[in-house]
Every structure is written in structure tokens, then in C-alpha cells.
Amino acid sequence: MCGIAGVFHHAKDNSIDPQLLVNMAAIQYHRGPDDFGYVNPEGLGMGMSHARLSIIDLNKERGRQPHLSSNKDYFLVHNGEFYDFQKIRAELTSLGDRFKSKSDSEIILHLFPRYGIEKTIEFLRGEFAFALYDKKDDCLYLVRDRFGVKPLYWTETEDGIVYGSELKVLFAHPKVRRELTAQGTYHQLIQVMVPGTTAFKGIHQVKPGHIIKIKRIDGRLSVSEQKYWDIDFPVAGEYVDHKDESYYIEGVRDQLLEAVQHRLQADVPVGCYLSGGIDSCSILGLSAAVRQDPVKAFTIGFDSDEYDETPIATEMAQMTGADQIVLKLNAEQLYNNFSRTIWHTERTIYNTLAVAKLLMSETVRNNQYKVVLTGEGSDELFAGYPAFRKDMFLYGLDDLPSSLRAEWQSSLEASNSLFKGAMLPREEFSSAAMNEVIGFTPTCLQSWLHCHSYGMQLLNPEWRQDMASYDAGSAIANTFDRSQLEGRHPLDKAQYVWIKTMLEGQILTWGGDRVDMANSMEARPAFLDHHLAKFATQVPPQLRIKGATEKYVLREAMKGLLPESLYKRQKFAFMAPPAHTDQNKWNMMMALMDEFASKEKVEAAGALDYQAVNALIKSHEDPDMNRDQKVQLDAVLNHVLGIQLLHQHFIANDIPAVAEQRARELGWNVHNK
């Protein structure tokens, strides 16, 4: 919905330049091009700004943020959506509260004084990140939604705290350092990040389901972190075994329908993303059933039949009477927009699907849409990824005959051969730390932890030496809440790990908010409704994956909506064709390497070892190399290119000057408010 920014100083008398706040809003103009606002009240050492994408309450004067409570004790900037806010507003009005706007954001200013921050969050349903300043307690709250759909970053300077929806917002502040770290760079190269971290020194994320409280005490800021929500699977054996399949099937259907209905609420048109998977087809089918008018459906297509899902998506669109738009993408479109994508993702990407989604969000906006419903989160809740099936076959079915186990695993490997080296590991990787914390090394992380040797050899020699004893598996595993893993079924553990790592760090970042909001377009993942998620965790593992069938309970719940071909099909990973699959794509990638990863530019950036980069490219060109190894190396090379672009975009560029120039171009200045 928007982009937020702010500064909170140690000293109350340390004033904040209002134009700096506006510049921080301007550099994220893409998140909110419809309006901007700021506050920097005298004597509080606090300032906030906001770039608005108007979706609820289109009135500029009413909807403009930051919001200020009527008694001027509370200040708020909010990004995202609170569903069911009309009911909450009505209840509060009946208690005597009076609202200034029709915006969903304003409910925070009324809930917080009554209930405090923890109870307030219990009322909130949706995707959100917000900053709330409490003048009476002289403290700032930074809050992020339960799954991390909406981003929120923060860092410390000599003066205090700087925060915002994107890294570039923080970098627009001249006192925020812009420096890659050895650990951050290494984790970019192996794809999976340590939760809560970034590639840059001293830049943190508010973790999903967490509150950062920053309280000013005697002229210094004290920072504390609190978890308010987590995905909570029952202890193994505590599933409601006396319920039959129909209970779970009907429950999933009811909960998903309610989640979709909530996310169709907007004061602007709402469309749907549509691929050839059960997830987005289910969302479209339910949306079409709820709506009175045809749903606009947006589909990505690729110039490779092996990776293209357009035929099934089109069949679904025709079944529902949707108005479908297909964006067919080729090598030139994908690689010509690679650099622009990294500017928005602010982290590296292993596959050009991120580019494809950025181009699709651009198509959505060109068709005058600001909001779409998406299918993200379904695989996480209902065990759709092939890695989950492998873990289920290996660890979750003790009584499975060995012959049947071998048959199912063989079928799984065969149907996912295109993605071996990414979605499935090309060879087993075992992490002692993961084994100790979880009981096994989840398959979903094995491909990326297996990239350790590539990551280390690609680092510059000094960093490589500093990182010689570093254990990525341990660093990641140590962030997990062991109480959420102890006594859980192996499938629950695998899903928990994916949700804590790849969902937030990949699916919702370079596959979600960042490439959607790059074009001022809000995506709403209905499956990540926390009420639906709570029900999904109660579904027994043997109904999430029944036999060799993934997402069984969802498949049955949506059976009446789906084309038969899709209902019967195994999960097919949605990826763009890797560079090695097509000479033109490879040539385009190498052209980008020549431009951004030349010897001169690699040495200037100082993060990587050019000789190692060059050797990796040459090895990848070996025609005798196995396809699964090429899949893995293709991902690593994308990360190499991404690291060079991170340096180019955010370190070589003078970001405070870029933000200032952007504000001038937009006419966003303090005199306009």
C-alpha cells in the first residue's frame, strides 16, 4: 500500500531536517506515488514520512499519513492492509471513539491507547508494517506482520535510529553507512540468508511476527525485540485424530474463502495473478465465484515449453470467465531488466523469475490495476514443494514399505528433474547444526548449503580467510525457536524451516512485495491469512501429503473449482528458464557480466575474487557438465551478478543525493505541505 520512513534521535532537542524526511519518502516513490506526508514535531527528536498508494479511502486529505491522534500523543505511519477494519472501527465508534478518516490505518491510533501494543496486534488481520510513536512513554514501536509480507528495516547511527520500508530509504540518510559485509555477501552467494539480517553492515530487518521497541531513557535509546506470533504446529500425536478427512477439507475451503473475501475489499479494482498451479487457480476460482463481474487475471508465460504454464492457466481463465492477460517473456526482456530488478529487490536473485514478476507488476499497473490476489503461501502451509515430499518420504512415514518409498522418491526426482540443483538438491548435504536442532537437514536448504564451497571461493581473499571457520547451517539454525520444533512431526519441522528462511527471504521479497511495489502494485497473498494458517497447522501431516500426493487436503477442498488436468498434476515449480537452457539467454547473462562483473568492476567493489568468478564461468561452459550442476551454478552466477549490482546501486551511487534529486523531480518538498 505504501512506503514508510522515520528517524528517532537519542536527544529530544536534536531536530530532524524535514526535507530529509521527504527525501526518504521520495526515493520510495514507487511504493506510494499518490501522495506524501511528513511530521517532525518540535522538541521530540522524532520524525516520520510516508509515500502513499491510495487503495482504501481515496480522499487525499483524509488518507494522508503520518496519522496523528486527536490528543497529539500518538504518531503513526503504516504500510499494508488491515482487513475487517470496518467492523473494528464500528465497535470502537460505539464505545465513543471518533475517526477522522475512512482509512484502515487509523484504527491503530484508537486500539493502542485502549489495549497496548500486544493486544492491539491481536485485532490486526492482514499484511502490514508500521511505526507507532507514543509521546507519553517516549518510545517507538516498529511492527511487522506475522509472515513478513511487508518489509521493514532499521539501523543505528551516532544520532539514533533510522527505519524504513526499503534499504534505499535508510541509505537516503547521510549518516547511514553503506557497506557490504563478508557474511552478508557469502549468504547472498548461497541464496539463503540468516533471518533478520541483510547484506549490509549494521542494517537489520524487523523479523516477521516481531515488535522492536525503542525507548528513550535519559537521552539514550534502548532497543528490545519481542516475538508476538509464530507458526505453531501441534506436538506430534496431538492432532485431532478423531476428525475425518471431510472436517479438514471443509475447514480449509471455508477459511480460504473467508481470506479471499477479505482481500477483495478495496476502493480500487482488484485482479488476480494466475499461473498453472493449484494455488493461484484456487484464488481465481473463489474470486470469480464471489465477484459479480469478470476477474482480470494476469499470467506470466515463458518462451520455453518446459517452463511455461500458460496452457493450464488459460484453461482456468476460460472456466471462470476471467479476462486474462498473458505476458510472454523472452531473454531480452528478462536480462535487460535484471539491473532494475536488483535496485528494487535489494538482495541477489537466483532466478530471473524475479525479473518476470517485476515486468508483470508493470503490466498490471499499465492496465490500471493497483491490487492483485496471489497464491503465495499455499506451498508453505499445505506442503507443496518437492522438498517437503522428500522429507516426508525419508523421515515422516516410519511404516512405509521400502519398495514403495523408493518408488515414490524415484517418481519425485523424475517429475522435478528440471529443478534438481535448486528445488531439490543434486546430492545430499548434511549440516551438523541443523541435525542437532531439527533432527535432520531439511531438503529445502540442502541445495543452498551445498553452495558453501562456491560461496567461499568467490569471496575476496581477505574475507575468505576471515570466514574460514564460518558455519552457515549453524548461523541459520541458531535463529530458530527450538520450542516450536521440539516434539513436532518431521514434515512440520521442514515447513517451519522453510517459512522462517525461504518464504520471508525469497518468496515474499524478490518474488513478492519488492517487485510488485516496484510498480506501485499491491499483492495480497490470501493463503497467508493467519486464521487460515492456524487451521492449516492442525491438518495432520498425512493429509497435507497423502501417499505421494502433495497438498492433498487443499486439492480436495478446491476440486470443484479446478480443471481435471490440474487436479491430477503433481506440483510443478514455477521458475523462469535458467540461462544455460538457451544460448540467447546465456549470451545476455554474459553481456551483463561483462558490464558489471569485469575485472575492473569486481576489484573496485572489493567483495569478490575475479579469478574465481572467471573460473566459475568457464566451468559452467563445459558441455559435459551435468544439468543439475548447471542449474546450481546458474543460480550462483546470478548471485555474483547481483552482488556487483548491489555495490553499483547502493555503494558506488550517492544515495542521499539520488533521494534529494528524486524529491526535486517530483516536486516533493516541505513547502508543498
Side-chain angles (χ1 to χ4, degrees), residues 601-631:
K601 290 197 173 180
V602 168
E603 291 177 352
L608 304 176
D609 182 332
Y610 177 74
Q611 297 303 322
V613 171
N614 196 43
L616 193 67
I617 292 171
K618 290 189 180 301
S619 70
H620 197 295
E621 291 175 334
D622 180 356
D624 296 326
M625 181 179 283
N626 292 334
R627 180 171 65 180
D628 54 1
Q629 190 171 358
K630 283 186 177 289
V631 168

Side-chain angles (χ1 to χ4, degrees), residues 357-473:
K357 295 198 75 175
L358 179 138
L359 294 173
M360 176 50 86
S361 69
E362 187 173 65
T363 300
V364 170
R365 276 310 302 251
N366 289 342
N367 280 271
Q368 309 305 311
Y369 275 71
K370 290 183 177 182
V371 183
V372 296
L373 270 61
T374 76
E376 276 85 13
S378 169
D379 289 312
E380 285 72 16
L381 295 180
F382 298 105
Y385 293 116
F388 294 149
R389 270 181 286 161
K390 186 167 183 177
D391 287 341
M392 184 70 159
F393 299 160
L394 289 174
Y395 313 112
L397 297 170
D398 294 336
D399 57 348
L400 185 67
S402 58
S403 59
L404 190 56
R405 188 189 310 272
E407 178 186 334
W408 285 355
Q409 285 188 228
S410 176
S411 173
L412 176 66
E413 297 283 347
S415 62
N416 288 278
S417 60
L418 282 179
F419 313 108
K420 195 173 183 179
M423 299 299 290
L424 285 175
R426 60 187 183 87
E427 57 186 66
E428 185 178 352
F429 183 93
S430 180
S431 162
M434 288 284 174
N435 294 343
E436 193 273 323
V437 173
I438 301 163
F440 58 95
T441 302
T443 299
C444 66
L445 296 186
Q446 288 188 29
S447 288
W448 309 123
L449 294 176
H450 186 258
C451 289
H452 169 79
S453 59
Y454 297 127
M456 283 299 177
Q457 73 186 39
L458 285 165
L459 291 177
N460 76 58
E462 183 180 345
W463 281 1
R464 190 185 309 143
Q465 184 175 350
D466 293 342
M467 295 279 289
S469 61
Y470 183 73
D471 183 355

Side-chain angles (χ1 to χ4, degrees), residues 5 39 72 105 144 214 272 427 433 493 592-593 631 649 665:
V39 292
K72 300 185 180 180
S105 305
R144 194 172 178 202
I214 308 160
C272 289
E427 57 186 66
K493 293 180 179 182
L592 288 176
M593 284 288 185
V631 168
H649 287 321
E665 292 169 352

